[in-house]
Amino acid sequence: MEVDPNKSPKAGENASCNGDASALPTDLQLQAPPKPPPYVCTLSPQLIAKAQEELQEKPEWRLRDAQALRDMILKEAPNLKTRLDDAFLLRFLRARKFDYDRALKLLLNYHASQKTWPEVFSNLRPSAIKRVLDSGFLTMLPRPDPLGRYILVIRPGRWKISDYPITENIRAIYITLEKLVQSEENQVNGIVILADYGGVALSQAAQLGPFMAKKVIGILQDGFPMRIKTVNIINEPIIFKGIFAIIKPFLKEKMTERFVLHGSDLSSLHKDIPPSILPQEYGGTMGKLNTTAWAESLLAFEEEFVAEFCQTCSPTDNAHAQYADGPTEQSGQQCEDSFRGVRSQLYYCY
């Protein structure tokens, strides 16, 4: 979970992910991205066995599978700006249990989301979301659960809508996922989300319309190579019924089943996340919740993130800018129409 600054590739501090090469220092503008080192597996013997059992990953076929996906990309999407190294492609293969077609679809969705949502992906870098990190909106617990899954804590109640738009929170979540997915351990084990809705008001809930909800769910569910194993909701107010009514239509049945609503019942939460890894705020024994360590870790991730993410992100490039099952103008209108009905639920719940 710690960032080693010595491993960060060199990149200009003012480099931009918007495709503007002039934003880079002169000595870097003409340089091609550094060639990635040969893939070396970092999984423990236990995780190799787990990947083989749960993800159909065979160590002796691993590089062959990455090559097969690479060949599919070059054939099906020859103009797609993407990394093609083994380590990067294995993220998508693991997320889709080494099904080549599904892995390719996931990779295309991953890039499509970056092209179609400039409010989130333009100038995306850790330093750009520092005010979100300072607010305590999200953090990572320092220790994994008994199944090896790290816990992402999200606290929407810490966000003040007068400070910045809701898309800044989405940017912070996305950068966190990019940091987490670098670890092969996380690729195999997946992660757990703990969403604390304490203090969420109607004004905050009203910012999440169906069209935005569809985009966010589209990324988390079909557009990012991370396995989200459980979403624990705690301290949800009565208006959460309205919030969930917005989200649920876009969730697949399997993902819907992974949502667990605990209310204010800490004993219920402890059945999913043991107190030994939780902070005091959630009845745990790990002291007070620390948001500073993860914020510092993400900010130290700046150069590495820019060097890697800018190889695949070019919001001005419209090639393959549609989701494989992507939202269209018509579907967006349908979402906005449905929001009129759901909005009344929010006010009723409140």
Side-chain angles (χ1 to χ4, degrees):
M1 300 294 291
E2 295 293 328
V3 173
D4 182 358
N6 295 322
K7 296 176 114 178
S8 300
K10 298 297 182 183
E13 290 184 1
N14 295 320
S16 174
C17 290
N18 62 7
D20 182 8
S22 64
L24 291 168
T26 304
D27 60 337
L28 292 180
Q29 287 182 23
L30 300 179
Q31 293 183 12
K35 184 177 180 179
Y39 171 75
V40 177
C41 181
T42 60
L43 296 174
S44 67
Q46 294 79 10
L47 283 178
I48 290 175
K50 181 177 183 178
Q52 189 161 357
E53 178 181 355
E54 296 185 8
L55 308 180
Q56 286 76 57
E57 176 176 344
K58 298 184 183 298
E60 64 273 21
W61 292 356
R62 190 184 287 130
L63 297 184
R64 183 208 68 174
D65 292 334
Q67 183 61 50
L69 179 56
R70 186 159 41 244
D71 291 342
M72 291 178 68
I73 296 167
L74 294 173
K75 179 181 179 180
E76 302 293 334
N79 297 320
L80 183 66
K81 184 180 180 182
T82 184
R83 286 174 55 186
L84 292 171
D85 57 280
D86 295 332
F88 181 74
L89 297 182
L90 282 170
R91 299 176 184 179
F92 296 88
L93 287 164
R94 286 171 175 145
R96 291 299 180 261
K97 298 186 177 181
F98 282 77
D99 181 315
Y100 297 164
D101 291 328
R102 294 176 64 226
L104 175 62
K105 183 177 178 180
L106 176 62
L107 183 139
L108 293 177
N109 285 346
Y110 170 82
H111 288 288
S113 65
Q114 299 168 12
K115 307 297 189 295
T116 58
W117 206 354
E119 296 90 347
V120 170
F121 292 100
S122 292
N123 192 37
L124 186 63
R125 60 182 61 238
S127 60
I129 50 100
K130 187 176 185 300
R131 54 186 173 176
V132 182
L133 300 176
D134 290 342
S135 75
F137 171 79
L138 61 67
T139 191
M140 294 297 301
L141 298 187
R143 292 172 54 186
D145 70 8
L147 297 178
R149 308 172 304 189
Y150 281 92
I151 316 296
L152 168 59
V153 179
I154 300 175
R155 300 188 292 170
R158 303 285 294 188
W159 167 51
K160 296 180 180 179
I161 61 175
S162 59
D163 289 346
Y164 54 80
I166 190 173
T167 48
E168 292 299 293
N169 293 329
I170 298 167
R171 284 156 62 86
I173 293 172
Y174 196 91
I175 291 176
T176 290
L177 292 177
E178 285 285 356
K179 174 62 179 166
L180 294 173
V181 81
Q182 287 191 326
S183 164
E184 291 194 291
E185 178 182 354
N186 290 333
Q187 293 170 27
V188 173
N189 288 327
I191 64 168
V192 170
I193 294 176
L194 172 57
D196 179 0
Y197 275 82
V200 171
L202 176 62
S203 59
Q204 294 163 310
Q207 302 298 309
L208 185 67
F211 191 52
M212 180 171 291
K214 182 173 183 178
K215 281 189 167 185
V216 173
I217 297 301
I219 291 174
L220 297 179
Q221 186 171 247
D222 298 310
F224 197 89
M226 176 61 77
R227 305 171 69 211
I228 299 176
K229 305 301 293 182
T230 310
V231 180
N232 293 281
I233 309 294
I234 192 169
N235 296 326
E236 64 271 24
I238 191 170
I239 60 172
F240 185 80
K241 292 172 63 178
I243 298 173
F244 198 66
I246 297 173
I247 297 173
K248 190 174 180 180
F250 310 118
L251 293 173
K252 295 178 180 177
E253 182 179 358
K254 187 175 182 180
M255 182 58 71
T256 302
E257 293 172 350
R258 293 179 178 179
F259 275 71
V260 183
L261 277 60
H262 301 284
S264 58
D265 186 356
L266 292 179
S267 62
S268 175
L269 175 65
H270 296 164
K271 293 177 182 177
D272 290 294
I273 306 177
S276 59
I277 67 170
L278 285 169
Q280 292 177 4
E281 288 86 342
Y282 305 120
T285 60
M286 286 294 292
K288 291 186 177 180
L289 183 66
N290 182 347
T291 62
T292 303
W294 183 247
E296 292 176 349
S297 180
L298 284 186
L299 292 172
F301 178 50
E302 176 99 0
E303 289 188 1
E304 187 175 357
F305 177 83
V306 169
E308 291 192 7
F309 192 72
C310 287
Q311 293 182 45
T312 62
C313 177
S314 181
T316 57
D317 177 11
N318 292 322
H320 303 283
Q322 185 61 266
Y323 280 98
D325 288 321
T328 63
E329 184 177 350
Q330 181 179 5
S331 68
Q333 182 61 46
Q334 291 172 347
C335 286
E336 292 304 322
D337 288 344
S338 67
F339 187 35
R340 296 187 181 97
V342 175
R343 185 184 299 160
S344 64
Q345 295 184 42
L346 285 172
Y347 281 91
Y348 176 76
C349 290
Y350 192 71

